[in-house]
Amino acid sequence: MSRKYFQQIPNFEYVSRVSGEQNISDYIEVKNLFKRIKIREDIFSDLNYFTKYKIIGDERPDNVAYKIYGDSDLDWLVLISNNILNIQDEWPLTQRSFDAVMLEKYGSYDNLYSGIHHYETTELKNSLGNTLIKEGLRISPSWKTNGNFIEIINSQISVISSGDSVNPSKTVTVFMVIGIPGLEVGDQVTIEGVSENEYNGQHTITEILASTGSNVTGFRYELPTAPVIASPTMSNPRKEAVHFTVPEQSLNPGNSYYYEYWDAGQGAVQQVPSTSFVKSVTNYEYEADLEDAKRNIYVFKPFYLPVVFDELQTIMNYKKGGTQYVSPTLKRADNIRIYE
């Protein structure tokens, strides 16, 4: 039995439209592309049938298939095991293609390798070993380029409302007068003094609602569940969250931003400069991480190959019955030209 993709697909005869045909009853046999090979849902969702694989270098699907199954014709099985439909976008580019695409996207090598895409947090723990700030939280470049990001947002807010029809108490909608450039879904924002009862800490933008040119003027974020940390020296006990602000120079000279929290182990308020838990991510690093994530795939275990091919015969073969049925691998379309 052939293992090539298109030889698994049944055929379909339709009336020939080729110019010069002598008979109106002439047919052309083609592949029925409406039939698409797929793995049965209960198998696809069962990890026991799969094993993890990391694509190395410029490996193509046929290279992976040969390595795993000893047959490069099973490249289609590698793809459908990961629900990959568009290999150009969903499979890692070759290094040469990646460099060319990135250069075209960012315009110059200087912008690609030195331009800042965003900032990310590194993990920050208190003296008791509790995590205060998780690693990998993304922060918009605006908090660096626009000075005090908190004040920029606060001074621009024109409308702010909590809740919507789906989550009446879980979302907040913010509209600003001029807007802030560079805001994207996934960026972190901090809004102070919105409400005495509302969590004033780090918020992740979940939806961009409005923009003027490159300036985002409206967005929505969800309210997280904030840990309440009692503090005898702080008026707001909910500061166990990302909280960028500008301190007095005497408190923290030379640092524009810091993170303030109550450390129960030390019994005092701690101030940590942002340089200790925020790192810049270049355009190249950002794109390379996205590309590298594509390298982590699943491959169908060779032991279960008979299961796939038995299922293919069930799925791809035509069922007997009906006027179009010719054989399990062939159907014939109605000839409407006879009635023209």
Side-chain angles (χ1 to χ4, degrees):
M1 178 182 178
S2 174
R3 294 183 170 190
K4 293 183 178 180
Y5 179 83
F6 285 105
Q7 291 185 355
Q8 313 298 322
I9 298 176
N11 296 329
F12 187 77
E13 286 187 346
Y14 77 103
V15 179
S16 175
R17 300 292 180 179
V18 178
S19 59
E21 290 286 359
Q22 300 298 316
N23 301 314
I24 63 173
S25 60
D26 287 339
Y27 282 84
I28 292 180
E29 188 172 310
V30 296
K31 288 294 179 182
N32 185 358
L33 298 182
F34 292 102
K35 283 272 194 179
R36 185 168 71 89
I37 295 177
K38 64 178 182 179
I39 299 175
R40 203 173 66 210
E41 187 60 35
D42 61 320
I43 297 177
F44 188 79
S45 59
D46 189 343
L47 291 179
N48 291 319
Y49 287 92
F50 300 88
T51 187
K52 292 181 178 179
Y53 181 84
K54 190 173 183 69
I55 299 168
I56 301 173
D58 292 345
E59 281 185 327
R60 304 184 307 270
D62 59 314
N63 300 140
V64 176
Y66 186 79
K67 182 185 291 187
I68 302 298
Y69 309 114
D71 187 349
S72 59
D73 287 341
L74 288 178
D75 52 355
W76 55 269
L77 181 57
V78 174
L79 296 176
I80 67 172
S81 294
N82 295 276
N83 201 26
I84 294 177
L85 299 178
N86 187 340
I87 193 172
Q88 298 297 324
D89 296 331
E90 300 175 79
W91 189 270
L93 296 171
T94 64
Q95 187 62 48
R96 183 175 181 179
S97 296
F98 178 74
D99 291 342
V101 170
M102 291 302 102
L103 184 58
E104 181 180 0
K105 181 175 181 178
Y106 290 99
S108 67
Y109 285 114
D110 183 60
N111 187 34
L112 174 60
Y113 290 104
S114 301
I116 303 301
H117 187 273
H118 65 275
Y119 296 86
E120 284 185 1
T121 58
T122 56
E123 187 178 56
L124 176 65
K125 294 184 177 182
N126 62 14
S127 61
L128 299 177
N130 299 321
T131 299
L132 305 179
I133 300 177
K134 295 180 180 180
E135 181 182 5
L137 297 175
R138 198 174 78 173
I139 306 168
S140 167
S142 303
W143 80 278
K144 284 280 188 181
T145 59
N146 289 332
N148 189 338
F149 194 28
I150 301 172
E151 291 183 356
I152 290 287
I153 289 183
N154 280 353
S155 64
Q156 286 203 50
I157 293 177
S158 59
V159 177
I160 184 166
S161 58
S162 298
D164 58 27
S165 58
V166 178
N167 298 300
S169 61
K170 294 294 185 181
T171 63
V172 174
T173 300
V174 178
F175 285 98
M176 297 175 288
V177 180
I178 300 175
I180 298 176
L183 287 183
E184 298 178 352
V185 170
D187 283 346
Q188 312 295 322
V189 297
T190 304
I191 301 176
E192 292 185 317
V194 174
S195 166
E196 292 182 1
N197 299 321
E198 183 177 303
Y199 164 63
N200 292 320
Q202 179 175 279
H203 309 293
T204 300
I205 295 177
T206 57
E207 185 179 0
I208 300 298
L209 301 175
S211 60
T212 303
S214 61
N215 285 1
V216 172
T217 56
F219 60 86
R220 179 176 289 133
Y221 64 84
E222 295 183 0
L223 290 174
T225 301
V228 178
I229 309 296
S231 166
T233 61
M234 297 169 63
S235 58
N236 181 2
R238 292 183 177 272
K239 291 196 175 181
E240 192 80 21
V242 175
H243 184 95
F244 295 116
T245 187
V246 179
E248 296 179 14
Q249 291 300 308
S250 59
L251 293 176
N252 204 354
N255 289 290
S256 299
Y257 296 86
Y258 70 95
Y259 173 68
E260 183 181 87
Y261 67 95
W262 171 256
D263 193 315
Q266 297 290 333
V269 174
Q270 301 295 321
Q271 295 176 356
V272 182
S274 61
T275 52
S276 297
F277 62 89
V278 175
K279 66 176 182 179
S280 61
V281 178
T282 65
N283 292 322
Y284 182 84
E285 290 171 331
Y286 170 74
E287 297 288 356
D289 284 345
L290 291 181
E291 196 70 8
D292 190 58
K294 299 177 185 178
R295 297 185 177 278
N296 300 311
I297 64 173
Y298 288 92
V299 292
F300 201 78
K301 293 179 180 178
F303 178 79
Y304 294 111
L305 283 180
V307 176
V308 172
F309 288 102
D310 288 345
E311 183 65 19
L312 281 181
Q313 286 189 333
T314 302
I315 294 175
M316 304 308 289
N317 285 357
Y318 296 122
K319 303 299 185 292
K320 192 173 183 179
T323 58
Q324 293 184 334
Y325 178 86
V326 177
S327 73
T329 59
L330 180 65
K331 274 188 175 182
R332 177 175 295 146
D334 295 329
N335 190 348
I336 60 174
R337 294 183 62 182
I338 294 177
Y339 306 103
E340 291 177 353

